[in-house]
Amino acid sequence: MNKRMNVNSDTLWKDLPRGGAMLDAGNAVDFKTGDWRAMKPIWDKDKCKHCLFCWAVCPDMSIIAKDGKLVEFDYDHCKGCGVCVAQCKFEALELVVEE
């Protein structure tokens, strides 16, 4: 029987389970995976047509939509991959260097 382990952002790499086994499903919200990002998307609300193509292609579900409209970015989990920016045909998203 496997012993459950509490893994969090303070857990050292050497204490992680072998092979990076998933210990708990759905625990991504516990880790701010966007803090190593080098680039970040910036949203120009005036140019946005709320087509939500950016939302559909975001691999991290970091684009927050409500009632069929983009409302904000979850920068705690956005990794700055730029897929959303490449998808935007209205130039409402721009990828900038993270400061």
Side-chain angles (χ1 to χ4, degrees), residues 15-26:
D15 296 329
L16 291 173
R18 241 180 213 271
M22 294 298 218
L23 302 177
D24 294 311

Side-chain angles (χ1 to χ4, degrees), residues 37-96:
R37 173 183 59 242
M39 303 289 283
K40 128 183 197 179
I42 300 296
W43 176 40
D44 184 335
K45 296 175 187 177
D46 294 330
K47 292 181 180 180
C48 185
K49 304 295 185 206
H50 299 282
C51 64
L52 297 182
F53 289 152
C54 58
W55 173 85
V57 299
C58 179
D60 300 310
M61 296 182 69
S62 294
I63 298 175
I64 311 302
K66 184 175 181 180
D67 298 326
K69 292 187 175 190
L70 194 157
V71 292
E72 67 178 312
F73 276 79
D74 172 6
Y75 288 117
D76 285 341
H77 296 96
C78 171
K79 294 174 185 66
C81 69
V83 174
C84 59
V85 175
Q87 181 64 42
C88 185
K89 307 303 181 217
F90 305 104
E91 298 180 353
L93 296 172
E94 177 184 4
L95 202 57
V96 300

Side-chain angles (χ1 to χ4, degrees), residues 4-7 21-28 30:
R4 294 205 66 142
M5 177 180 173
N6 182 20
V7 176
M22 294 298 218
L23 302 177
D24 294 311
N27 68 352
D30 298 333

